[in-house]
Amino acid sequence: MSTTPTETDVPTASRYLPIAEHGLIGDLRSVALVGTDGTIDWYCCPAFDAPSVFAAILDAERGGCFELAAAVPARTKQFYFPDTNVLITRFFTEDGVGEVQDFMPVDGSSAESERHRLIRRVVCVRGAIPFRTRVAPRFDYGSRPHTVRMVGDVAVFESEKLSLGLTATMPLEVDGPDVCADFKLAQGESAVFALDQLGADVTLRRCARTEAEEQFNSTVAYWRQWLSVSKYRGRWREMVHRSALTLKLLTYAPTGAIVAAPTTSLPEQLGGERNWDYRYVWVRDAAFCVYAMLRLGFTGEAEAFMKFLTEHVSRGDGCHTGPLQIMYGIDGRTDLPERELDHLEGHLGSAPVRVGNAASDQLQLDIYGAVIDSIYLFDKWAKPISSDQWDDVCALVEWVCEHWDQPDEGVWETRGGRKNFLYSRLMCWVAIERGIRMANRRGLPADLPHWQACRDTIYRRIMSRGWSERRQAFVQHEDSDVLDAAVLMMPLAKFIAPTDPKWLSTLDALTEDLVSDSLVYRYDPQASPDGLRGDEGTFSICSFWYVEAMVRAGRVDEARLAFEKMLTYANHLGLYAEEISHTGEQQGNFPQAFTHLALISAAFNLDRALG
């Protein structure tokens, strides 16, 4: 007797696309992840950190998704419409070729963006192909029920706090809590599906083919006009521009905030507990992002983030850990309580799924260097900061002068207790040193003797207690022998000459202990317990730091090979998650801003070194 397999009988791996098998679309408020199978399995509405509507990437059964694909066996390929964030997924079948064009309209106007519209346009480009769609929202991370009803030919999904309207040029059919449609397109024919947020200020409207065409063209024009500002003309233009477009997608336009990544709880190791919510503004990540944007000529994004700092961050009203938190909400809020969603199984069954982030209460002294360095670069490359902003800088530098020598959780947000991390000391040195540079360059008032004395004390402390005679290398924290890839920032921050014998010895030690085929591990959790179970993959930002450090050390051929190898680990669209597994798979939240900004910096400096 034959039986039909139940959901629990289906192997977990077969129910999930790998993290890398996704592209990203967005409207500068939120994003959606679109799989190579045509399924949207991650979308939060109306903002990055809002509860999910589609979250099948975190739970294939309970998370919700928007399926749209050929209804027959097909090979698929995915690419971006050139120089845009419009994503094309192509289906190759025995009877023809079809494609789904996915985008979220953005034309620079605020009126359209408030609709939070998601458009999926299906086109048959050769032959004739049957298609199938199922729209299955699961509101509030799959925890809230909803109703669905047809209003004319529009499907309305209603939950307690959010309602969505689905319009289509094909007949829709209600199937329980979902809506589905089966249709066939011949060559040249198309169909349009548009999902809108509904509310008091947003009326229900259809999305006809002509309107979808207009919004497609305006969105393409927006992205191409934005990218045309780029000054990069180097060897890796395609990868650099894809990284820039990705960083722009991770920007929350209403405030200028830049999220670390648009996802939560994608595992750094399957079966581990290193699953975090990255949909917030890490001061460090966003400040480094300003550097990358300025390098390419995008001063508007840098100015928007400076405004975010001024309005939400630099008030000196932080928490018990200091005047700044390490992260903020995209609207500047400081309360980001962490909780686990026990009803979701996690990507590939890898729980826990977390929302919020308890690391917001950590002390991470390095953020002060990142912030003040970004302000210094903005003042130098974009436009002079205001007198009020300079007062903020002075207050932060004075605070660093008084507090730089306390242990903290460090750049990697360890949960194993505070230590005297070298990287934290390094970036405190950067904070003071960049403040001194600004004061000298512009003749701004500052207690320079005091600042210089503190800067020099930190320098001597790092050189004496951050150096291991046994390892002949700079190490993770004071009076230890543990290596850490974060020290790769020492020459990049101009703390030490990139050809200093101590630095070259450190670079050799890092290469021997932490580098594998150009990929760089952050540190060895066995040698330096971080309070969390399990191991992790290589950290992609460290791999690009490694390239840049070798460039500056004069090892340009080695750097170029490492860079080219690193590019082979990107996904099919040129996107990177936070980490890469030992088998080359993307791990962690995706895509990650930190990685893409480091790629831009490495490409810029390598290209310049090659001449």
Side-chain angles (χ1 to χ4, degrees):
M1 182 177 71
S2 65
T3 59
T4 302
T6 64
E7 291 176 346
T8 54
D9 293 326
V10 180
T12 299
S14 67
R15 295 184 290 121
Y16 290 90
L17 276 180
I19 292 170
E21 293 294 311
H22 289 87
L24 190 73
I25 60 172
D27 62 358
L28 309 181
R29 269 78 175 166
S30 185
V31 301
L33 289 185
V34 185
T36 51
D37 61 356
T39 297
I40 295 177
D41 55 16
W42 179 254
Y43 174 53
C44 297
C45 185
F48 290 105
D49 57 357
S52 65
V53 173
F54 304 129
I57 199 169
L58 294 178
D59 192 308
E61 316 306 333
R62 303 177 187 87
C65 63
F66 188 155
E67 300 172 356
L68 180 56
V72 293
R75 295 179 296 107
T76 64
K77 293 185 179 180
Q78 205 173 49
F79 69 100
Y80 279 108
F81 201 77
D83 295 335
T84 77
N85 281 315
V86 175
L87 187 66
I88 313 295
T89 306
R90 309 202 92 195
F91 297 87
F92 298 84
T93 76
E94 289 187 357
D95 297 318
V97 179
E99 66 183 34
V100 177
Q101 303 166 354
D102 284 309
F103 64 100
M104 295 170 70
V106 52
D107 58 10
S109 66
S110 59
E112 189 58 48
S113 62
E114 294 308 314
R115 297 186 64 81
H116 305 291
R117 168 166 277 193
L118 197 163
I119 293 180
R120 314 200 72 187
R121 188 166 69 165
V122 194
V123 181
C124 181
V125 295
R126 299 183 70 182
I129 303 177
F131 287 91
R132 175 175 299 149
T133 186
R134 175 174 291 273
V135 185
R138 299 294 183 264
F139 293 90
D140 200 355
Y141 306 107
S143 67
R144 291 188 184 276
H146 71 274
T147 60
V148 59
R149 59 190 173 92
M150 298 299 298
V151 180
D153 56 359
V154 178
V156 177
F157 301 94
E158 294 176 303
S159 69
E160 181 180 349
K161 296 182 178 180
L162 180 66
S163 295
L164 301 174
L166 177 69
T167 60
T169 57
M170 291 292 168
L172 300 173
E173 181 179 338
V174 175
D175 183 12
D178 308 333
V179 167
C180 57
D182 289 272
F183 56 97
K184 189 171 186 176
L185 299 177
Q187 184 169 320
E189 293 181 334
S190 65
V192 175
F193 298 85
L195 190 66
D196 290 302
Q197 179 190 12
L198 303 180
D201 299 325
V202 181
T203 56
L204 192 64
R205 79 182 194 203
R206 292 187 174 90
C207 182
R209 289 181 180 86
T210 54
E211 184 177 349
E213 179 72 20
E214 291 170 359
Q215 292 195 316
F216 177 92
N217 291 333
S218 65
T219 300
V220 165
Y222 173 86
W223 288 117
R224 287 182 169 173
Q225 182 178 4
W226 180 82
L227 190 62
S228 68
V229 174
S230 172
K231 296 177 180 178
Y232 183 79
R233 299 293 183 269
R235 293 167 174 81
W236 296 282
R237 187 174 176 182
E238 184 175 347
M239 288 297 293
V240 167
H241 281 174
R242 179 49 52 197
S243 291
L245 284 162
T246 302
L247 291 174
K248 180 63 173 176
L249 274 182
L250 302 184
T251 302
Y252 184 63
T255 64
I258 303 167
V259 298
T263 57
T264 180
S265 302
L266 294 182
E268 296 175 19
Q269 180 195 32
L270 292 178
E273 60 176 332
R274 302 169 190 266
N275 304 347
W276 313 113
D277 192 346
Y278 276 14
R279 299 171 298 158
Y280 305 111
V281 187
W282 264 254
V283 170
R284 172 195 312 110
D285 299 32
F288 279 129
C289 192
V290 167
Y291 165 80
M293 288 300 196
L294 286 172
R295 270 291 185 209
L296 299 179
F298 297 108
T299 55
E301 284 64 33
E303 187 169 359
F305 181 66
M306 287 297 121
K307 183 179 179 182
F308 179 83
L309 285 179
T310 300
E311 293 184 355
H312 301 293
V313 176
S314 299
R315 295 177 177 175
D317 59 353
C319 57
H320 61 280
T321 57
L324 303 185
Q325 282 194 183
I326 69 162
M327 74 180 83
Y328 294 81
I330 55 176
D331 55 357
R333 71 186 186 281
T334 57
D335 188 24
L336 306 172
E338 181 176 300
R339 60 190 175 95
E340 295 185 6
L341 304 181
D342 296 331
H343 64 284
L344 297 179
E345 73 170 6
H347 180 71
L348 283 169
S350 189
V353 172
R354 295 185 175 97
V355 294
N357 201 307
S360 59
D361 292 330
Q362 288 189 354
L363 174 65
Q364 296 177 21
L365 293 169
D366 66 280
I367 65 172
Y368 296 92
V371 166
I372 295 178
D373 189 45
S374 70
I375 296 172
Y376 161 75
L377 293 171
F378 181 78
D379 181 79
K380 180 180 178 181
W381 291 346
K383 72 178 188 179
I385 63 172
S386 68
S387 56
D388 286 343
Q389 287 173 317
W390 176 246
D391 288 342
D392 286 338
V393 169
C394 289
L396 292 178
V397 172
E398 290 291 346
W399 188 89
V400 172
C401 286
E402 297 301 317
H403 297 89
W404 66 267
D405 62 344
Q406 53 185 314
D408 69 347
E409 276 87 5
V411 61
W412 305 132
E413 299 178 359
T414 58
R415 301 195 179 192
R418 294 181 176 179
K419 296 174 182 175
N420 292 310
F421 288 104
L422 184 149
Y423 184 78
S424 299
R425 301 283 183 270
L426 168 69
M427 296 307 288
C428 284
W429 177 90
V430 168
I432 302 170
E433 198 274 341
R434 300 304 191 264
I436 293 171
R437 284 196 196 190
M438 274 192 282
N440 286 329
R441 191 168 64 86
R442 295 207 23 217
L444 296 169
D447 187 356
L448 289 177
H450 177 55
W451 289 9
Q452 289 167 347
C454 291
R455 177 198 63 186
D456 296 348
T457 300
I458 297 172
Y459 177 89
R460 295 190 183 97
R461 175 82 164 259
I462 291 174
M463 297 302 287
S464 62
R465 296 180 61 181
W467 172 260
S468 167
E469 285 292 338
R470 190 181 76 82
R471 297 303 305 269
Q472 286 294 292
F474 291 103
V475 290
Q476 183 183 67
H477 55 87
E478 291 183 357
D479 306 319
S480 76
D481 291 326
V482 178
L483 297 181
D484 190 316
V487 304
L488 286 164
M489 278 296 294
M490 294 177 76
L492 277 55
K494 297 180 168 56
F495 175 87
I496 192 170
T499 54
D500 187 291
K502 282 190 172 182
W503 173 249
L504 294 178
S505 176
T506 300
L507 192 55
D508 289 339
L510 291 170
T511 301
E512 183 178 349
D513 275 31
L514 297 181
V515 179
S516 171
D517 189 44
S518 83
L519 302 177
V520 182
Y521 291 94
R522 293 190 291 182
Y523 53 87
D524 181 355
Q526 305 303 317
S528 180
D530 54 16
L532 298 166
R533 298 191 309 273
D535 297 318
E536 60 180 11
T538 56
F539 216 68
S540 293
I541 187 175
C542 297
S543 301
F544 287 119
W545 283 351
Y546 179 64
V547 169
E548 193 166 343
M550 287 197 296
V551 168
R552 293 172 186 260
R555 302 175 180 179
V556 179
D557 288 341
E558 295 174 63
R560 183 171 188 175
L561 179 59
F563 186 76
E564 294 287 1
K565 284 183 176 180
M566 188 59 192
L567 295 185
T568 70
Y569 287 102
N571 85 339
H572 58 288
L573 297 169
L575 304 180
Y576 290 89
E578 185 175 32
E579 301 183 9
I580 295 172
S581 74
H582 72 282
T583 58
E585 296 295 323
Q586 303 282 345
Q587 294 183 155
N589 285 310
F590 173 87
Q592 196 207 28
F594 225 175
T595 301
H596 285 279
L597 64 91
L599 183 155
I600 292 171
S601 183
F604 184 92
N605 285 285
L606 177 58
D607 193 69
R608 184 169 58 181
L610 289 169

